[in-house]
């Protein structure tokens, strides 16, 4: 109930701002191509990419004379990755998928470039995001010496405070950190009542419980998104 109240208050704040600023509030959704970094320099394995989705609300609030806009949002977003060792035709193989679901708040500042009809614009910019894990599953399947096995478990989240360093609260084996922080890049087109955009989310917080946020970029979320928004 507490989480639901927080979400409702955030949605109300976005809607109030959009109305107060004579701006637009969009209902938006689309496709996520999620992954998790596997190397210390932030690299990913392309074959590990996981298809998911996002849905929620986003406001477009002009700043000053409209050359800039502030775009806060409230989204339900799927992230994660998959990996596989061996082939299904082998005597031994394993395939695993982790698919956490987050409530995410992106906060982007964008530059607007008007198009010929002056009612449409191209925008590009970036900012940051904060996300809280609320659900998800870990799935594993494979074969061992020709004998098939399969399991599916709910993701357990650690409530570690992401602002602390050197100490982790409520960590545990197999748990995922509940809170994720990162950077955004975004670009798209806004027409009279429709918005189309692409976004890249670059996680800065290690998602594995028991992992510190050292200088390397291993075990962090990486998500490309393609969105369609309809103004309310």
């Amino acid at each position: 109930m507490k989480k639901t109240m927080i979400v409702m208050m955030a949605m109300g704040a976005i809607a109030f701002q959009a109305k107060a600023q004579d701006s637009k509030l969009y209902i938006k959704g689309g496709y996520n191509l999620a992954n998790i970094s596997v190397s210390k320099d932030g690299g990913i394995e392309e074959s590990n990419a996981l298809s998911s989705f996002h849905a929620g609300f986003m406001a477009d609030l002009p700043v000053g004379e409209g050359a800039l806009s502030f775009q806060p949002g409230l989204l339900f977003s799927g992230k994660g990755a998959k990996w596989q060792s061996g082939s299904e035709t082998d005597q031994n193989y394993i395939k695993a998928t982790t698919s956490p679901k987050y409530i995410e708040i992106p906060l982007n500042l964008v530059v607007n470039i008007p198009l010929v009809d002056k009612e449409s614009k191209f925008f590009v910019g970036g900012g940051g995001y904060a996300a809280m894990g609320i659900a998800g599953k870990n799935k594993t399947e494979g074969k061992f010496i020709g004998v098939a096995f399969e399991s599916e478990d709910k993701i357990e989240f650690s409530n570690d405070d992401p602002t602390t360093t050197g100490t982790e609260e409520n960590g545990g084996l197999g748990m995922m950190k509940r809170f994720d922080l990162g950077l955004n890049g975004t670009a798209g087109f806004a027409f009279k009542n429709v918005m189309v955009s692409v976004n890249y989310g670059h996680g800065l917080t290690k998602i594995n419980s028991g992992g510190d946020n050292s200088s390397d970029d291993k075990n962090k979320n990486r998500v490309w998104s393609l969105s369609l928004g309809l103004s309310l």
Side-chain angles (χ1 to χ4, degrees):
M1 180 63 72
K2 184 177 180 181
K3 292 179 183 177
T4 303
M5 289 296 295
I6 292 173
V7 170
M8 291 177 66
M9 290 172 64
M11 288 172 58
I14 291 173
F16 175 79
Q17 276 294 100
K19 184 176 180 181
Q21 298 289 336
D22 192 26
S23 302
K24 288 189 176 181
L25 176 66
Y26 293 88
I27 182 170
K28 65 177 291 186
Y31 173 74
N32 283 359
L33 187 63
N35 215 326
I36 296 172
S37 59
V38 295
S39 64
K40 291 185 177 182
D41 61 359
I44 60 174
E45 294 287 348
E46 295 294 341
S47 60
N48 292 355
L50 177 68
S51 293
S52 190
F53 72 96
H54 63 278
F57 298 89
M58 191 198 79
D60 186 67
L61 312 176
V63 178
E65 297 300 318
L68 297 176
S69 289
F70 176 50
Q71 293 184 346
L74 181 67
L75 303 173
F76 177 83
S77 185
K79 303 185 182 185
K82 61 184 179 181
W83 64 272
Q84 181 170 331
S85 177
S87 170
E88 295 180 15
T89 59
D90 296 340
Q91 285 292 303
N92 299 290
Y93 92 95
I94 186 170
K95 180 167 63 176
T97 302
T98 182
S99 52
K101 303 297 189 292
Y102 292 85
I103 294 294
E104 182 170 313
I105 300 176
L107 302 171
N108 295 320
L109 186 66
V110 303
V111 177
N112 299 305
I113 302 173
L115 301 182
V116 176
D117 63 4
K118 296 185 179 180
E119 287 190 355
S120 306
K121 64 181 181 180
F122 170 75
F123 62 88
V124 61
Y129 74 82
M132 180 177 69
I134 59 170
K137 292 182 179 181
N138 291 320
K139 296 181 181 180
T140 305
E141 63 178 77
K143 285 192 298 187
F144 179 68
I145 317 179
V147 179
F149 62 87
E150 184 175 355
S151 67
E152 181 177 306
D153 301 297
K154 291 182 179 179
I155 291 175
E156 291 188 58
F157 290 99
S158 162
N159 290 315
D160 176 44
D161 181 352
T163 63
T164 60
T165 58
T167 303
E168 182 178 356
E169 303 87 11
N170 195 34
L173 181 65
M175 296 180 72
M176 182 175 290
K177 290 184 177 181
R178 185 178 300 277
F179 300 102
D180 182 29
L181 304 173
L183 301 175
N184 285 321
T186 188
F189 293 92
F191 305 102
K192 185 175 182 181
N193 295 309
V194 177
M195 177 183 288
V196 180
S197 62
V198 61
N199 185 83
Y200 175 67
H202 188 90
L204 299 177
T205 303
K206 288 193 174 183
I207 63 173
N208 56 307
S209 176
D212 60 28
N213 288 313
S214 59
S215 58
D216 70 74
D217 279 332
K218 189 175 181 181
N219 299 321
K220 299 180 181 180
N221 282 315
R222 305 284 187 261
V223 184
W224 284 98
S225 301
L226 180 64
S227 302
L228 175 66
L230 303 175
S231 65
L232 299 176

